[in-house]
Amino acid sequence: MKRIAIAISVLSLMVSSAAPAQQYKMETPIPPGIPSPDKVETRLGTLKFFDGFPDKATVEKLYDNLDFQRAVQAYLLALPAVNMAGLREGLLQVGAANSTIPTFETLMDARSLFLTANANVAYTWIWINLHDGPLVAEVPPMVLGMIDDFWFRYVTDIGVVGPDKGKGGKYLLLPPGYKGEVPEGYLVVRVPTYESILVWRNFSVNGDMTPAIENLKKLTRIYPLSKATNPPANTFVNVSGRAFNTVAPADDKVWTLLNQVVQSEPIESLDPVTLGYFASIGIEKGKPFAPDARMKKILTEAAAVGDATVRALLFRSRIPEAFYYPNSTWRQWLGGYKFESQPGVRFLDAASFFYFYATGVTPAMEAKMVGQGSQYAVGLVDSKSAALDGGKNYKLHLPPNIPAKEFWSVILYDNQTRSMLQTDQRFPMVSSQDKAILTNADGSVDVYFGPKAPAGKEHNWVQTVPGKGWNTLLRLYGPLEPWFDKTWRPGEIELQQ
């Protein structure tokens, strides 16, 4: 009898489960894809729901993942500000903002850590702080530079491609929201942030930098507008050969630097979405940055993944347009100085690439200006797309008629610091400014890279370090039409057997 009763019960359950669900008067058929299943298998593991309601373990996984995702994206979006904060820390070691004028009077060498800076011109770097009101910047003639704000956005050019057209002039820098009187006689620049960088290149005259440095010290002045009738003196500091660092850290210290920028600048100076990413991880204007133990762990891992991600974007681009020529490894900037794939659309990978690798945003670095400004090609791998190894020997062939009105150079950089490669050479480069470089009979030039110079090729050779990776920038100052129409093309970096 028990068996019969059990069989009846089982049958009853089967009939019950097979019975159609109760129909309600107000029911609407729900299309597939709207309801959540009770279980979802994902990279986070199994996510469980009761009729679409996540259980406790699922909620914890999802919030950890959301915070991690936002932190990685915040890391990539923070690169411009963190890059600038690194510059600020380094420059303020030299002297105070506004009043100190650091200049590489005898050029920058490999001791100074600056993102992909060059050894061809004498840089002047001035940290600007407008918290106390407008500043006047008197700039000497025949320089090439720019102002970038604390978010590392282009504000204006200075010098030969700027409003003064290379004649020099008085720039009046106005802080965010300035409502006061604007006197006449100045080149007026409204800076969106309180802090910014004013940087320019001083050029030699017939190979002699002395006239440019004399003009710099005679004609450069930075002072508050309120003291324009009796400007205080500036301090000029020669930082050539100085061992100091302006490169920001890549680990979780980035969050502290980012917080400094967020606290310094008005909310109106950046878009709501980017500030929203920063706020979502605890970095918000007017509030303390105090992550708990859980969030500290997430931010530490996000910084590691963010650094790894931007290195992948730098060294292994998946965008065909990132390369100058078909079947070439030479890379180019993408998206112009605004880093846009089309007007109003941010080119995220291009922005991350640039802000991790380089310093200084201006149209003069990428706009077509025949005979003016500068152009760049980035060499990150050899002709077979293999990483450049400091223990091996390579050769780069530059065909005849290198299209540079002023000069060209090939400078090597450390993959880790993105600063000039530190070897026995003060200047890790080959440049047309060196009159001793060897030129082939047809006018072409061969450049060599490796631990030891090929016999007799010392002036055409850049030293590398076994066990260390490197990359290079080909620079053209005063680029000519064959560069823009691509009728002139550099050779690839060839591994020598």
Side-chain angles (χ1 to χ4, degrees):
M1 291 297 293
K2 285 184 178 181
R3 291 181 179 177
I4 295 172
I6 290 171
I8 292 171
S9 296
V10 170
L11 180 61
S12 186
L13 286 170
M14 291 175 64
V15 171
S16 173
S17 63
Q22 181 175 347
Q23 299 293 309
Y24 293 94
K25 293 180 180 179
M26 301 304 294
E27 277 193 74
T28 299
I30 300 175
I34 293 178
S36 169
D38 292 340
K39 289 185 179 180
V40 181
E41 299 298 330
T42 72
R43 66 174 61 195
L44 307 179
T46 302
L47 307 179
K48 298 180 180 180
F49 302 85
F50 165 67
D51 196 31
F53 193 109
D55 68 11
K56 181 180 178 181
T58 294
V59 168
E60 290 176 352
K61 287 179 183 178
L62 291 171
Y63 273 125
D64 282 350
N65 178 62
L66 181 62
D67 289 342
F68 178 72
Q69 285 188 5
R70 285 179 173 167
V72 172
Q73 294 306 316
Y75 183 99
L76 297 176
L77 292 169
L79 286 170
V82 170
N83 191 328
M84 284 290 280
L87 265 173
R88 179 182 183 271
E89 286 200 346
L91 292 175
L92 294 186
Q93 292 175 16
V94 177
N98 304 335
S99 62
T100 303
I101 302 176
T103 299
F104 291 89
E105 295 182 16
T106 54
L107 308 181
M108 185 188 298
D109 63 31
R111 288 188 184 88
S112 302
L113 298 182
F114 276 72
L115 293 178
T116 55
N118 72 58
N120 301 116
V121 296
Y123 284 107
T124 294
W125 297 82
I126 307 169
W127 190 257
I128 297 297
N129 189 330
L130 300 175
H131 278 287
D132 293 330
L135 284 177
V136 177
E138 297 186 17
V139 176
M142 298 312 296
V143 299
L144 178 65
M146 79 288 288
I147 295 175
D148 288 340
D149 72 11
F150 213 168
W151 300 116
F152 226 140
R153 297 172 303 197
Y154 167 77
V155 178
T156 187
D157 285 309
I158 297 290
V160 292
V161 296
D164 66 278
K165 304 301 181 184
K167 297 177 181 178
K170 292 182 178 182
Y171 287 80
L172 178 58
L173 311 183
L174 302 179
Y178 180 74
K179 304 295 185 182
E181 181 182 353
V182 180
E184 296 182 354
Y186 295 96
L187 299 168
V188 178
V189 179
R190 292 186 178 273
V191 186
T193 57
Y194 288 107
E195 298 187 58
S196 60
I197 187 72
L198 168 57
V199 55
W200 65 73
R201 305 171 181 111
N202 304 281
F203 294 95
S204 62
V205 178
N206 298 321
D208 183 6
M209 194 62 72
T210 303
I213 300 304
E214 289 177 348
N215 267 345
L216 170 83
K217 294 181 178 180
K218 179 182 177 181
L219 301 174
T220 303
R221 293 289 181 271
I222 310 290
Y223 51 86
L225 177 63
S226 61
K227 299 182 179 180
T229 56
N230 187 25
N234 292 116
T235 302
F236 292 84
V237 181
N238 180 9
V239 288
S240 289
R242 186 183 183 109
F244 71 119
N245 174 49
T246 66
V247 179
D251 60 10
D252 58 356
K253 298 182 187 69
V254 301
W255 308 121
T256 300
L257 292 180
L258 173 61
N259 186 55
Q260 291 175 6
V261 184
V262 169
Q263 301 307 327
S264 170
E265 300 306 334
I267 290 175
E268 297 78 16
S269 67
L270 197 61
D271 68 276
V273 173
T274 301
L275 287 175
Y277 270 102
F278 299 159
S280 74
I281 60 169
I283 297 176
E284 190 170 2
K285 176 80 171 179
K287 297 182 179 180
F289 175 49
D292 59 18
R294 169 187 164 275
M295 200 63 194
K296 283 181 180 178
K297 183 178 179 181
I298 288 174
L299 290 173
T300 298
E301 184 182 2
V305 172
D307 177 62
T309 300
V310 73
R311 287 181 180 275
L313 295 174
L314 172 63
F315 292 111
R316 293 296 187 193
S317 177
R318 59 184 180 179
I319 305 170
E321 295 81 6
F323 300 91
Y324 261 116
Y325 316 95
N327 304 314
S328 174
T329 62
W330 287 104
R331 293 273 295 277
Q332 62 179 326
W333 311 134
L334 287 174
Y337 71 97
K338 292 183 178 180
F339 307 105
E340 294 180 340
S341 57
Q342 55 180 296
V345 180
R346 185 73 159 180
F347 204 146
L348 295 174
D349 289 1
S352 296
F353 170 107
F354 184 91
Y355 285 118
F356 181 70
Y357 184 67
T359 299
V361 178
T362 168
M365 294 177 66
E366 51 84 23
K368 180 177 179 179
M369 296 186 296
V370 177
Q372 289 186 312
S374 52
Q375 288 285 307
Y376 305 78
V378 188
L380 299 163
V381 294
D382 70 12
S383 62
K384 305 298 183 183
S385 292
L388 297 166
D389 185 339
K392 298 178 180 179
N393 296 304
Y394 300 85
K395 178 181 176 181
L396 167 63
H397 181 71
L398 300 177
N401 303 313
I402 299 172
K405 177 183 176 183
E406 303 298 336
F407 60 86
W408 60 266
S409 69
V410 176
I411 302 179
L412 264 57
Y413 298 97
D414 185 320
N415 284 350
Q416 295 283 21
T417 66
R418 292 89 70 203
S419 301
M420 281 189 270
L421 189 66
Q422 295 184 327
T423 64
D424 294 327
Q425 293 177 318
R426 183 184 177 195
F427 305 117
M429 72 174 179
V430 172
S431 171
S432 61
Q433 292 175 313
D434 180 0
K435 302 307 178 185
I437 63 170
L438 300 176
T439 301
N440 300 323
D442 64 353
S444 64
V445 175
D446 293 317
V447 181
Y448 301 88
F449 315 100
K452 294 184 179 180
K457 311 287 188 182
E458 289 79 5
H459 286 274
N460 290 52
W461 164 74
V462 190
Q463 186 179 11
T464 60
V465 180
K468 175 163 282 296
W470 58 273
N471 63 84
T472 189
L473 273 171
L474 168 63
R475 285 178 169 87
L476 305 175
Y477 277 88
L480 300 175
E481 185 62 38
W483 171 257
F484 295 106
D485 65 19
K486 299 184 180 181
T487 55
W488 184 90
R489 171 177 170 172
E492 301 296 308
I493 300 171
E494 302 286 352
L495 177 64
Q496 303 297 288
Q497 301 300 326

